[in-house]
Amino acid sequence: MGRYLIMAMAIAIYFAFFGTFLYLIGFVGGFEFMPTHVNKGIAASPATAALVDLALIALFGIQHSVMARPGFKAGWTRIIPAPLERSLYCLATVVVLVLIFAFWHPIAGTVWSITNETGRMIMFALFFLGWGVLFISTWLLNHFELFGLQQAWQNMMGTHASPPRMRTPLFYKMVRHPLYTGFFIAFWATPDMTFGHLLFAVAMTIYILIGIAHEERDLVDVFGEDYIAYRRTVGAFIPGIGKKA
């Protein structure tokens, strides 16, 4: 596959992912102008809805975790061009998220609903703060590498990536996984928590906790003692909490 075609594909996938990410914000936020969201979708009985929704989240978890493992990458890059590996990972994420958006089944019922206007504004502020923390965190390490553009660019220019090195900028000095901190805040900060939203938040939280365990094993393999020492002093996604002795 030609270098320029790989670059063009990486750019197209990046913008597809960015658009999907924006839709995810509206989907989790439950904004009425959205075609579908956690509280708007296909009608079904609560039991059926819960089974379908859990299956969708499980599909997301399997795709996201399996494709991120070094063993899968090693086999996958024997089939596809290595510079496209990360971009195709993002494309697979887009496909799974679109399936969630299209086939999500809301579950009626309210866990909590804040009627005070100030309280609602605080919750929405926290919601957008979570997404902001997540977005900024992608730039603190390497936004373009995370979404596959850097790999395609280096391939096009005939250069090679520098060896990975341990860095802990800004949020990473306080927590090891600020991206996940952002997700947690965004998933749980809502003035109107329905049963469907609660199922989404709980299931995604469980998936993230499982994903962190796998991710940290990979990081120890890459950075060795540096990362082990980092885990001893910095919490996982809440400052000071989740240190590993």
Side-chain angles (χ1 to χ4, degrees), residues 31 112-130 185 188-192:
F31 302 120
W112 72 70
S113 181
I114 299 173
T115 57
N116 178 273
E117 193 61 32
T118 301
R120 294 184 69 84
M121 289 177 63
I122 290 172
M123 293 301 284
F124 277 123
L126 287 171
F127 172 79
F128 285 110
L129 173 66
I185 296 170
W188 288 94
T190 175
D192 302 299

Side-chain angles (χ1 to χ4, degrees), residues 202-223:
V202 169
M204 291 299 287
T205 297
I206 291 171
Y207 158 68
I208 289 173
L209 293 174
I210 294 170
I212 285 175
H214 291 289
E215 184 176 320
E216 292 211 328
R217 280 200 291 269
D218 295 341
L219 290 168
V220 169
D221 289 341
V222 173
F223 298 113

Side-chain angles (χ1 to χ4, degrees), residues 1-9 152-159:
M1 187 178 292
R3 295 180 178 184
Y4 292 102
L5 178 58
I6 289 174
M7 188 74 239
M9 290 177 65
W153 174 260
Q154 288 170 335
N155 176 68
M156 188 175 71
M157 301 304 292
T159 59

Side-chain angles (χ1 to χ4, degrees), residues 109-237:
T110 301
V111 182
W112 72 70
S113 181
I114 299 173
T115 57
N116 178 273
E117 193 61 32
T118 301
R120 294 184 69 84
M121 289 177 63
I122 290 172
M123 293 301 284
F124 277 123
L126 287 171
F127 172 79
F128 285 110
L129 173 66
W131 295 111
V133 168
L134 190 159
F135 184 69
I136 292 169
S137 297
T138 68
W139 291 95
L140 292 177
L141 293 182
N142 192 327
H143 178 88
F144 295 119
E145 180 183 35
L146 184 63
F147 298 109
L149 288 176
Q150 179 172 301
Q151 295 89 326
W153 174 260
Q154 288 170 335
N155 176 68
M156 188 175 71
M157 301 304 292
T159 59
H160 300 283
S162 302
R165 61 189 182 89
M166 184 84 177
R167 296 193 302 114
T168 57
L170 196 57
F171 298 153
Y172 288 87
K173 296 184 188 303
M174 297 178 281
V175 292
R176 300 195 302 273
H177 303 283
L179 276 84
Y180 297 142
T181 300
F183 272 127
F184 288 146
I185 296 170
F187 290 160
W188 288 94
T190 175
D192 302 299
M193 179 63 81
T194 62
F195 287 125
H197 192 152
L198 180 65
L199 181 144
F200 180 88
V202 169
M204 291 299 287
T205 297
I206 291 171
Y207 158 68
I208 289 173
L209 293 174
I210 294 170
I212 285 175
H214 291 289
E215 184 176 320
E216 292 211 328
R217 280 200 291 269
D218 295 341
L219 290 168
V220 169
D221 289 341
V222 173
F223 298 113
E225 273 302 322
D226 287 342
Y227 196 81
I228 292 172
Y230 179 57
R231 292 199 302 181
R232 292 194 190 106
T233 57
V234 178
F237 41 84

